[in-house]
């Protein structure tokens, strides 16, 4: 279960299940690109003072379980994660851009759901099993 944390005058345990897809659902999140993407996303989260508790992809989309503070906005976290990761992956793997028309790595939309202490274990298992099909 997510740890109960304390702020100045408040107590919280905030988790989100976040999913987004590669543009046109191209299956590019494989091998070293997949490994590097996960490293980049964890670093972005750390740089922005939130945590990725679980992460897994399935070649054309990525699932995250994010823990954050009440000061974090969902849109701000996703903007940082998608924007910085796309820029760094294009720089490190220029061949990706050739496979994506229009030069956008990520589909502009995303899915987000709140996670409670009752659903956290199920969400973690679901994310961990993304590649196991």
């Amino acid at each position: 279960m997510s740890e109960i944390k304390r702020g100045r005058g408040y107590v919280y345990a905030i988790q989100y299940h976040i999913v987004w897809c590669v543009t046109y659902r191209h299956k590019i999140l494989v091998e070293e690109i997949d490994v590097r993407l996960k490293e980049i996303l964890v670093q972005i989260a750390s740089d922005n003072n939130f945590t990725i508790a679980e992460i897994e992809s399935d070649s054309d989309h990525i699932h995250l379980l994010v823990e954050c503070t009440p000061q974090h906005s969902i849109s701000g976290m996703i903007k940082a994660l998608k924007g910085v990761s796309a820029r760094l992956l294009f720089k490190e793997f220029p061949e990706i851009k050739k496979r994506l028309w229009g030069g956008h790595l990520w589909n502009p939309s995303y899915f987000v759901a709140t996670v409670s202490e009752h659903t956290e274990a199920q969400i973690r298992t679901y994310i961990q099993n993304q590649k196991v099909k």
Side-chain angles (χ1 to χ4, degrees):
M1 184 175 129
S2 177
E3 179 184 331
I4 302 289
K5 298 178 183 130
R6 299 184 186 289
R8 188 178 172 128
Y10 54 92
V11 178
Y12 65 94
I14 300 172
Q15 292 183 308
Y16 297 109
H17 177 200
I18 301 172
V19 183
W20 69 82
C21 301
V22 174
T23 301
Y24 312 113
R25 299 292 297 247
H26 280 293
K27 298 185 182 307
I28 63 167
L29 304 180
V30 295
E31 299 166 358
E32 68 272 5
I33 294 170
D34 182 46
V35 171
R36 184 66 181 124
L37 170 61
K38 291 170 186 169
E39 293 169 353
I40 289 168
L41 292 174
V42 168
Q43 185 61 54
I44 294 164
S46 176
D47 291 347
N48 288 278
N49 301 311
F50 61 93
T51 304
I52 296 175
E54 291 289 341
I55 183 170
E56 192 55 84
S57 65
D58 187 15
S59 74
D60 64 357
H61 66 281
I62 187 138
H63 288 257
L64 308 173
L65 177 61
V66 173
E67 297 177 354
C68 62
T69 69
Q71 288 74 29
H72 287 98
S73 72
I74 296 167
S75 61
M77 289 187 297
I78 292 172
K79 182 178 177 182
L81 291 165
K82 290 170 79 172
V84 175
S85 66
R87 189 172 69 251
L88 291 175
L89 286 177
F90 280 151
K91 184 178 178 183
E92 295 178 32
F93 303 95
E95 66 274 13
I96 295 173
K97 212 164 200 167
K98 296 178 184 125
R99 294 189 55 199
L100 300 171
W101 315 301
H104 297 286
L105 177 58
W106 303 121
N107 183 301
S109 62
Y110 60 87
F111 165 84
V112 64
T114 55
V115 178
S116 74
E117 64 272 13
H118 303 293
T119 59
E120 180 182 355
Q122 294 165 312
I123 299 295
R124 280 182 182 273
T125 301
Y126 178 75
I127 291 171
Q128 292 165 357
N129 289 318
Q130 282 303 296
K131 280 197 183 339
V132 184
K133 292 188 177 165

